[in-house]
Amino acid sequence: MTSERLLKRAAEATRSSKRVQLHASADATEIARDISAMANSGGGVVVVAGVVEEERLHEELERRVEPEFDGFEAHPVVRAGTPATALVVEAAVGMPLVFVDDGELYFRRGGRSSRAHGNDVRDFILRQLNATRRQWIANIRQVMHAPDRAEVAIVETADRDEEGRPTLIRLTTDPHAPLYGQVDPDQSHPYRQKEAIAEANRRLDGTRSVNAFDVLSVRRVYDITEASRPEFVHVPKFGSPQYSDAFVDWLVEQDARDPGFFEAAKSRYLATRGSRR
């Protein structure tokens, strides 16, 4: 279901359903649990009366949900003439989200977020398999429609790790340079987001404190993804993104050049979405 349709349902729904959860108050625990359940069930929208402070919500999710999840956006809506906030939630990818407070998996069942049953986990796995199948087909189409005289090369390196996998020759961001082999992402990108934030704060040495929403804003505004900046971020097939020392260095350098760097990134990120805190 598209974001536009979810926002329409957020404004018009009179009761909760599988894809819509209505909240009369901004209880952080309940909202975090419902976001995890929506994500595990393929996405939806959580509607909260009044205005939600999005930065605080990201902080709550960082504490209450694993692996790290920032796949939601806050949008202002009006319900029966009253302001509300619609949190449009993306589907979880790779592995389901765990609600840390009780260590349980939650899924949507009717108009409620409930502890997982076997069928819920089965459906989640099927969605992942279908997504992988679609990606395979897309990749095959790319090969089939490759330009005339294009070649597919299989490259073997001399150096291999203890499990027989090729090791890294060189990590580069040059779009014209081929990248052969692989590097252990746990070595090249050792930080999860919490750890990257902690390391950035350590290097900032008390001059300011960076939080999850700061990092999210910077990533979105500066288009920092695995595809655009592989030297900064790696996304494992099953798990949350991992970040490199180079990314932490870059954050600290940007702050040194411009003390308003993080605040400006947050303002730009919120402005591009027409959202509000």
Side-chain angles (χ1 to χ4, degrees):
M1 188 176 295
T2 65
S3 178
E4 290 76 14
R5 289 183 62 188
L6 286 172
L7 289 174
K8 186 174 186 296
R9 292 186 64 176
E12 298 175 354
T14 57
R15 59 185 177 84
S16 295
S17 63
K18 182 175 181 179
R19 298 296 177 201
V20 180
Q21 175 65 52
L22 304 179
H23 279 283
S25 62
D27 182 279
T29 302
E30 293 293 330
I31 293 172
R33 182 166 55 202
D34 286 334
I35 287 177
S36 69
M38 285 289 183
N40 288 342
S41 301
V45 61
V46 177
V47 187
V48 185
V51 178
V52 173
E53 185 180 356
E54 187 175 352
E55 184 169 354
R56 178 171 173 267
L57 185 53
H58 277 277
E59 290 295 296
E60 289 292 335
L61 276 183
E62 186 179 36
R63 292 193 303 108
R64 298 179 184 276
V65 173
E66 289 186 351
E68 293 156 6
F69 180 75
D70 56 25
F72 73 93
E73 291 187 348
H75 299 266
V77 294
V78 177
R79 290 176 47 80
T82 303
T85 302
L87 306 172
V88 177
V89 183
E90 300 173 4
V93 176
M95 61 187 299
L97 305 179
V98 177
F99 186 59
V100 174
D101 287 33
D102 58 14
E104 296 279 356
L105 298 176
Y106 283 85
F107 288 80
R108 296 295 292 176
R109 194 168 299 114
R112 300 180 59 187
S113 296
S114 304
R115 288 182 173 88
H117 290 173
N119 288 343
D120 298 317
V121 178
R122 179 203 63 193
D123 291 344
F124 182 90
I125 293 172
L126 286 175
R127 282 196 298 273
Q128 305 309 302
L129 290 174
N130 288 334
T132 300
R133 188 178 297 113
R134 288 192 295 270
Q135 185 61 57
W136 284 351
I137 292 172
N139 291 342
I140 291 170
R141 287 199 184 107
Q142 284 185 326
V143 174
M144 292 176 64
H145 293 90
D148 188 33
R149 303 177 69 85
E151 296 181 358
V152 177
I154 300 175
V155 179
E156 183 173 354
T157 60
D159 297 329
R160 292 178 174 271
D161 64 18
E162 59 187 13
E163 296 181 4
R165 298 173 302 189
T167 56
L168 178 72
I169 297 173
R170 182 168 61 90
L171 183 64
T172 177
T173 57
D174 181 353
H176 304 294
L179 182 61
Y180 298 142
Q182 72 176 36
V183 66
D184 181 355
D186 290 334
Q187 295 181 14
S188 63
H189 299 71
Y191 304 118
R192 293 192 307 165
Q193 180 169 280
K194 290 179 184 178
E195 296 158 348
I197 290 170
E199 180 64 15
N201 284 330
R202 186 186 70 79
R203 297 187 194 181
L204 289 170
D205 197 25
T207 56
R208 72 187 72 257
S209 180
V210 177
N211 61 34
F213 193 65
D214 292 326
V215 174
L216 170 67
S217 300
V218 168
R219 283 171 39 218
R220 296 289 170 83
V221 168
Y222 292 92
D223 188 30
I224 296 174
T225 66
E226 185 176 38
S228 64
R229 301 299 298 266
E231 77 278 25
F232 281 178
V233 59
H234 165 72
V235 182
K237 188 172 182 61
F238 302 106
S240 54
Q242 296 172 210
Y243 300 92
S244 65
D245 273 306
F247 177 58
V248 177
D249 289 340
W250 182 80
L251 290 176
V252 174
E253 289 167 4
Q254 299 309 306
D255 178 76
R257 291 195 186 105
D258 176 12
F261 171 72
F262 290 106
E263 285 300 322
K266 283 194 291 189
S267 297
R268 287 174 59 188
Y269 171 54
L270 291 171
T272 58
R273 299 193 295 104
S275 184
R276 62 184 179 183
R277 286 179 288 174

